[in-house]
Amino acid sequence: MKVFKFGGASVKDAGAVKNVAKIIGMFPDQQAVVISAMGKTTNALEEVVQALWNRDEMRFTQKVDEIRSFHLQIMNELFADKDNAAYADFENEITQLRSKYNERIPDNYDFEYDQIVSKGEVISTKIVAHYLTSIGESAAWTDARELIRTDNNYRNADINWQRTEELFAARFTPLFSTSRVLIIQGFIGHTAEGFTTTLGREGSDFTAAIVAYCTNAESVTIWKDVPGMLNADPKWFDNTIKLDKISFKEAIELSYYGASVIHPKTVKPLQNKQIPLYVNSFLDPEKTGTVIQADQDQDHLIPSFIFKMNQVLVSITPKDFSFIVEKNLSDIFERLSSIKAKINLMQNSALNFSVLLDEEKTDIDDLLKKFEDHYLVKYNTGLELITIRHYDQPTIDRVTTDKEVLLEQKTRDTARIIVKDLSKK
Ligand code: ASP
Ligand code: MG
């Protein structure tokens, strides 16, 4: 059995849904197909939650109407038969969504968020499942809200692996005796009490890994609008190269440094069961993309580049000129953690401790205030962090031309360089 995952872009309109059906039809295997909300529906549902929270009925209704017409248009292009059961199923979901406004005043934002935002995946999977059936595919809709068991950490729920495995064995795998293709929502799960949870934005890749782990699938394929994993983000880099084959370990390293092709939680469960992960293009499904698997033999062949823009380098010096040693390091870390700083890189010298942070996520005034009693703090904004896996000197030279290098750290496999772009003022 194979697991396929189709994200929002691959079901963004009727043509895209037809293409998904085509890809499913290309492979004769049994398939568990994980699907995200259509297009930008998750963002639209986030606005619905916001409107509900603000008790803004006009905005709430307007957003629900927009979501309804967006999906109706897709359905109208997919279903020749206007009596297709998809319509009743869909209107039922929309009615439930609308009724949220009058249910009660919510008092747990994250809980309400999950009950509402999860509808995007419920709706998309119902439409796709009905469409597949309407074209004669042997397909069935399944409900992640009965299969993927999580804790109640709403908006970022953690998986109860053991229970999820049991649920898949009892209620999912047996369905293959009657259907070749089982459709399931990405991104969502449920608590022991039966409330809906979400796994964090962009969590559908992770769902694909959960499904594969819990069914011992032979492989996972994530279908994307790129030809595979590239060695750099084309936004920042010309002449990117596709990585044909990398190891689980390398994929985890790349996502740790900020490569964003697959959700960071996806690789670990697959690595645990040695299930290969393919990243292929839904625009060119015959072509091979990238395979992520156990072998490390090709990891070093192509250098990978990860860019983090808008970085701020903060340098912290004790006012009494005491050395930077374990004692004040722990004080510095405590202060940083109290302002929820996310550290991208750090370095210390005798009198100075430097951390690199995302500018957008850092309140500099807050940070200065936190430290002013004992430390002198200086900072430098508008920087870039470049990480190169499997670097050599020419690759470093290539990315640092016209740039001032402020700091460089190297290990055997990884070079990390903080630069200021001299062409930007
Ligand atoms: N629909 C969810 C999101 O947009 C999950 C996903 O697409 O992976 O975040
Ligand atoms: Mg998405």
Side-chain angles (χ1 to χ4, degrees), residues 5 7-8 36-37 39 42-43 117 121 186-187 200-205:
K5 182 263 174 175
S36 303
T42 305
N43 294 351
V117 170
E121 269 69 12
F187 180 54
R201 283 302 306 264
E202 305 302 324
S204 294
D205 290 353

Side-chain angles (χ1 to χ4, degrees), residues 171-363:
R171 296 168 171 226
F172 185 83
T173 312
L175 302 177
F176 280 120
S177 63
T178 46
S179 302
R180 183 180 81 89
V181 178
L182 299 181
I183 305 291
I184 185 169
Q185 307 71 39
F187 180 54
I188 72 177
H190 72 289
T191 66
E193 298 78 25
F195 293 115
T196 305
T197 50
T198 64
L199 312 181
R201 283 302 306 264
E202 305 302 324
S204 294
D205 290 353
F206 183 36
T207 300
I210 298 166
V211 174
Y213 182 96
C214 293
T215 57
N216 298 306
E218 64 176 84
S219 64
V220 174
T221 306
I222 295 183
W223 296 96
K224 294 189 67 89
D225 57 1
V226 290
M229 272 182 89
L230 304 175
N231 73 328
D233 185 339
K235 200 156 81 187
W236 311 118
F237 209 77
D238 303 328
N239 309 322
T240 53
I241 305 171
K242 180 166 72 71
L243 305 169
D244 293 331
K245 178 180 161 191
I246 61 170
S247 68
F248 293 120
K249 179 173 169 290
E250 182 68 11
I252 288 172
E253 295 276 3
L254 290 173
S255 77
Y256 171 79
Y257 291 119
S260 59
V261 176
I262 46 175
H263 188 280
K265 286 186 188 166
T266 310
V267 179
K268 184 171 174 284
L270 300 177
Q271 193 270 339
N272 289 168
K273 286 207 176 169
Q274 304 280 301
I275 299 169
L277 168 62
Y278 296 88
V279 181
N280 286 356
S281 167
F282 62 74
L283 302 169
D284 215 344
E286 325 262 348
K287 280 230 177 87
T288 53
T290 301
V291 57
I292 300 165
Q293 42 66 67
D295 264 9
Q296 298 181 18
D297 56 347
Q298 296 196 17
D299 286 353
H300 64 284
L301 294 182
I302 299 173
S304 286
F305 302 83
I306 301 129
F307 296 79
K308 277 189 194 268
M309 312 309 268
N310 303 322
Q311 301 290 302
V312 51
L313 183 61
V314 179
S315 111
I316 300 166
T317 311
K319 278 185 180 163
D320 61 2
F321 280 95
S322 53
F323 285 143
I324 295 285
V325 289
E326 288 73 8
K327 195 158 170 298
N328 46 28
L329 271 177
S330 81
D331 179 52
I332 290 171
F333 279 125
E334 238 158 69
R335 291 172 195 239
L336 285 170
S337 124
S338 76
I339 59 156
K340 295 198 162 53
K342 277 254 195 302
I343 301 171
N344 290 328
L345 182 147
M346 55 196 170
Q347 180 152 305
N348 68 305
S349 66
L351 296 175
N352 182 300
F353 181 73
S354 302
V355 279
L356 188 72
L357 308 168
D358 287 323
E359 248 176 275
E360 278 167 22
K361 296 184 199 146
T362 312
D363 183 337

Side-chain angles (χ1 to χ4, degrees), residues 51-52 55-57 60 97-103:
L52 178 72
R55 302 307 298 163
D56 184 343
E57 188 163 14
F60 178 90
L97 195 54
R98 270 195 217 291
S99 70
K100 286 275 173 206
Y101 199 84
N102 299 314
E103 274 174 8

